[in-house]
Amino acid sequence: MADIIAGVATSHVPAIGAAIDLGKTQEPYWQPLFKGYEASKKWIAAVEPDVVILVYNDHASAFSLEIIPTFALGCAAEFQPTDEGWGPRPVPAVKGDPELAWHIAQSVILDEFDLTIVNNMTVDHGLTVPLSLMFGQPKEWPCRVIPLAVNVVQYPPPTGNRCYNFGKAIRKAVESFDKDLKVVIFGTGGMSHQLQGPRAGLINREFDTRFLDNLTRDPQALARMQHVEYVREAGSEGIEMVMWLIMRGALDDDAKEIYRFYHVPASNTAVGHIILENPR
Amino acid sequence: MTLQQQFDDIPGTTLFDAQRSRQGYHLNMFCMSLMKAENRAAFKANEAGFLEQFPLTPAQRDAILKRDWNGMIALGGNIYFLAKLFSTDGLSFQHVAALMTGSTQPEYAQMMLNGGRCADGNRSKSEWQQRG
C-alpha cells in the first residue's frame, strides 16, 4: 500500500530560485533563509520519499487566461521547467509518476473532486523552488513528483474547506494504490505577501504564526477561514495559503509538527516553512 | 457589509475577479505573448506597433506605454501577467512593488528588511482616510 507519511509546507518565492541559480545563497541577505532549510534537507534525505505530490500554483506560465483549471493534476512522465521570461531555471526536468497520478485522478473524480487531467505542461517556480529548497541542486531530482496546480490567481480560488477535503480524498486515493510507496505531500505558496498596488509589501507575522500554530492545533478553523480574511490579513497573494490545507487534509488529524522556520523578507514575502509527520 | 463591500474596503488592493478578468483579458494576453523571445524583441523594437495586434482600449494602451503599473492593475491587469512586461524591462517584483507604493527602491527595500508593511492600520479604507 502506498502511504502519505508526512507533509511539508513552504513559500515558493521566485527570487529564492534566482538566488540558488546565481550562487547567492551565502550572501548576507539570503544566508539566514537558506540556513533555515538545512535541517529540512537532512530530514528529507533520511525519509527518502518515492513520490512527492507537490501542490503549487502556476503563475501565468503553463496556464494563461485561456484555460483556468481550479485543480490540475500532472499525469505525464516528465515536466520541463518553464521559461518564465528570462529563460528556464537551470534545474533538472521533473519526472512524474503517471501510474499513481492517473490512479489519484480516477479516485478523486469518483469521490466528486472533478480535477483537470494534464498530460503536457511545463512547471514554473511555484513547483521548482520548493524542490530546490528541499533537495538542493542535484543532477536529477531524487524522487518522482506529481504536480498538482491550484488556481489562486483568478478570484475565486477554491475555498480552504474545499482544499482541506480534497486533501482527504487524495489521501484515500494514495492509500488505495497497491504498490508500496512512501509519499510526502508538499503544500506551497504564502505566507503573507502582497505584490500589487499601494498596499504592496504587507507582512503579517501574527497571522502567519497563528496559521502555522493552527495547522496542528485546529486545522478545521483554518479550513473555515474565508478568502476575504486571507486578503485583508495576509495580502492579496497571501490567499495562496489555501494550498497548504490540501497538504494538511492529506495527513492524520493528530499529525505532529517536527520543524518550523519563519523569515522576513524574501523580496516582498514572508517565508514560512513547516514539516508535519503522521504518527507511526 | 456584503462580501463585495468587504473586499472593496481593503485599501490599496485590487481583487482580480471576474469583472477585471474580462476587462483585462487582452491586456493580460499581450503580457503573456512576452513569454516568447521573438515577441519581446518585436515589442522592444516598436512598442506601439506591436500593441496594434491586441484589441486594447486606448487607456490600456496608454498605461502600457507609460508603464503605469497601478493604472494597468485598475484596467484589469493581473500582477503575474504584468510580470512578463516588467521582466522584459529587466525589472524585479520588488522594484515594481516599490513603484506601485510610491516609494523609492531603497525605501521600499528597507521597509521589507524592517519586517514589511504592518497589517495594523492597513486593513480598511477608513484607516487610510484617518491617516490622510
Side-chain angles (χ1 to χ4, degrees):
Chain A
M1 183 183 97
D3 203 10
I4 298 182
I5 58 167
V8 172
T10 178
S11 307
H12 59 215
V13 184
I16 295 176
I20 294 169
D21 300 341
L22 299 172
K24 293 181 175 174
T25 60
Q26 293 312 307
E27 291 187 359
Y29 184 89
W30 290 110
Q31 197 271 344
L33 185 145
F34 289 103
K35 195 158 175 272
Y37 284 83
E38 285 306 315
S40 314
K41 283 186 189 164
K42 288 189 184 124
W43 171 84
I44 205 154
V47 167
E48 291 190 297
D50 299 298
V51 180
V52 165
I53 298 171
L54 205 152
V55 183
Y56 73 110
N57 68 288
D58 179 80
H59 303 78
S61 301
F63 303 115
S64 66
L65 293 182
E66 289 181 345
I67 299 174
I68 308 170
T70 296
F71 297 116
L73 192 71
C75 294
E78 190 173 286
F79 306 90
Q80 294 292 336
T82 315
D83 180 347
E84 296 182 52
W86 48 89
R89 287 194 63 211
V91 294
V94 172
K95 305 288 184 194
D97 188 329
E99 196 184 357
L100 177 58
W102 274 98
H103 172 82
I104 292 171
Q106 186 171 297
S107 174
V108 300
I109 290 169
L110 291 175
D111 258 341
E112 304 183 342
F113 289 88
D114 314 310
L115 53 65
T116 301
I117 293 162
V118 184
N119 284 313
N120 185 11
M121 68 172 180
T122 59
V123 288
D124 73 9
H125 70 267
L127 183 130
T128 61
V129 165
L131 289 179
S132 297
L133 282 169
M134 293 301 291
F135 295 116
Q137 294 177 287
K139 282 210 170 70
E140 298 291 335
W141 299 118
C143 62
R144 300 187 294 282
V145 177
I146 298 178
L148 173 55
V150 180
N151 163 50
V152 295
V153 173
Q154 173 71 59
Y155 178 83
T159 65
N161 190 53
R162 184 68 170 164
C163 289
Y164 186 64
N165 288 322
F166 186 32
K168 292 183 184 294
I170 290 170
R171 179 197 184 140
K172 188 175 150 196
V174 169
E175 290 183 348
S176 65
F177 188 67
D178 64 0
K179 278 190 184 162
D180 281 335
L181 290 177
K182 257 190 290 185
V183 180
V184 173
I185 184 165
F186 286 17
T188 72
M191 295 188 89
S192 55
H193 65 305
Q194 174 154 337
L195 303 175
Q196 50 110 352
R199 202 176 72 136
L202 188 95
I203 297 288
N204 190 340
R205 181 182 285 268
E206 292 73 27
F207 176 93
D208 291 341
T209 304
R210 203 161 55 242
F211 195 95
L212 289 163
D213 289 345
N214 277 342
L215 283 172
T216 48
R217 275 188 211 157
D218 196 354
Q220 278 92 0
L222 293 182
R224 284 191 299 270
M225 189 162 38
Q226 301 297 303
H227 290 136
V228 68
E229 188 173 347
Y230 284 95
V231 176
R232 187 197 306 115
E233 297 295 326
S236 48
E237 280 64 52
I239 206 165
E240 291 175 354
M241 275 184 271
V242 295
M243 294 187 289
W244 290 32
L245 296 176
I246 298 178
M247 175 278 284
R248 183 61 188 92
L251 302 177
D252 284 8
D253 290 346
D254 59 350
K256 296 273 180 297
E257 175 179 339
I258 62 156
Y259 185 69
R260 180 193 294 206
F261 174 65
Y262 187 78
H263 175 79
V264 178
S267 184
N268 301 290
T269 303
V271 170
H273 171 45
I274 198 164
I275 302 177
L276 306 177
E277 267 184 1
N278 278 339
R280 287 164 202 269
Chain B
M1 275 202 279
T2 65
L3 187 58
Q4 186 66 48
Q5 286 167 333
Q6 290 179 58
F7 276 115
D8 289 345
D9 187 48
I10 301 170
T13 304
T14 302
L15 190 71
F16 188 64
D17 59 10
Q19 184 264 328
R20 294 215 172 77
S21 189
R22 291 170 62 200
Q23 180 188 15
Y25 184 82
H26 296 292
L27 167 56
N28 290 313
M29 293 307 283
F30 147 68
C31 293
M32 201 71 196
S33 76
L34 300 176
M35 296 276 280
K36 291 193 173 133
E38 63 265 33
N39 289 338
R40 293 195 287 272
F43 175 66
K44 281 181 182 171
N46 179 359
E47 294 200 357
F50 186 83
L51 291 178
E52 279 172 21
Q53 59 188 300
F54 298 92
L56 301 162
T57 66
Q60 287 173 330
R61 195 186 333 270
D62 198 44
I64 293 166
L65 293 173
K66 287 183 177 151
R67 301 298 193 272
D68 173 4
W69 304 104
N70 283 328
M72 284 184 260
I73 295 268
L75 296 167
N78 172 274
I79 191 64
Y80 292 118
F81 289 84
L82 300 186
K84 320 299 179 197
L85 177 57
F86 64 69
S87 297
T88 299
D89 291 342
L91 303 179
S92 68
F93 268 102
Q94 198 182 71
H95 190 112
V96 173
L99 293 174
M100 287 189 289
T101 64
S103 318
T104 65
Q105 264 300 106
E107 280 167 0
Y108 184 88
Q110 192 58 49
M111 176 185 80
M112 293 315 301
L113 284 170
N114 294 345
R117 185 185 309 282
C118 190
D120 290 345
N122 290 303
R123 291 186 173 91
S124 79
K125 285 189 173 156
S126 63
E127 289 175 308
W128 278 27
Q129 278 154 8
Q130 279 165 21
R131 203 171 55 191

